[in-house]
Amino acid sequence: MRKAIYFLVLCSFFKMTAQKEYVKTYFKNGTIKSEGWVQQNQKVDYWFFYFENGKKKEEGHYEANKKCKWWLFHNSKGEIVKKCKFENDLINGFSILYRNSQIIKAEKYEMGKKINEWNSLTDFKKDNKISF
């Protein structure tokens, strides 16, 4: 019986420490700086980062405190300027660059190193079997 109680207390402790918490940080002027999920002191799931003017700066997924999946990067006006795919905190896959909400360039990376670049959407579509 004593072992069963000890086991239940131990399981409860680990369950409590493994819970996710939604956290927010702020600039000195009071505007939000970042917000997202933390689990065991590491960023997980979806996060948002902001400029001091309150506009989004970047947003995307974390896994064990490292960027993963697709991330969006914004300029200080809040417009999307780049969309990149990450793996293990490095750009890995396509990176699409925008100006005035239009695609202007595409790049391909392998674990942080650029391996190709396209300066027109036509060339990009020709080389890659991706539809928009």
Side-chain angles (χ1 to χ4, degrees), residues 5-30:
I5 292 172
Y6 178 74
F7 179 74
L8 289 173
V9 169
L10 190 61
C11 287
S12 297
F13 174 76
F14 282 115
K15 185 178 180 185
M16 286 183 354
T17 59
Q19 288 181 347
K20 288 193 301 187
E21 179 184 5
Y22 199 79
V23 298
K24 295 180 180 183
T25 63
Y26 297 88
F27 290 105
K28 288 181 181 180
N29 68 8

Side-chain angles (χ1 to χ4, degrees), residues 21-92:
E21 179 184 5
Y22 199 79
V23 298
K24 295 180 180 183
T25 63
Y26 297 88
F27 290 105
K28 288 181 181 180
N29 68 8
T31 61
I32 192 161
K33 184 176 185 179
S34 66
E35 61 181 318
W37 291 99
V38 172
Q39 187 172 28
Q40 296 177 336
N41 293 321
Q42 293 191 340
K43 292 179 183 118
V44 294
D45 298 334
Y46 211 80
W47 272 77
F48 298 93
F49 296 88
Y50 301 90
F51 290 102
E52 278 194 75
N53 67 7
K55 300 284 186 182
K56 279 187 207 167
K57 183 177 185 179
E58 55 187 74
E59 61 184 289
H61 297 270
Y62 275 100
E63 191 174 283
N65 230 29
K66 295 181 179 181
K67 289 179 180 177
C68 64
K69 302 180 184 177
W70 285 98
W71 275 72
L72 295 174
F73 297 86
H74 306 260
N75 62 21
S76 60
K77 297 175 188 174
E79 302 165 334
I80 295 173
V81 293
K82 186 166 39 170
K83 181 178 181 179
C84 303
K85 190 167 185 190
F86 281 82
E87 184 180 329
N88 204 24
D89 225 20
L90 296 170
I91 298 176
N92 190 48

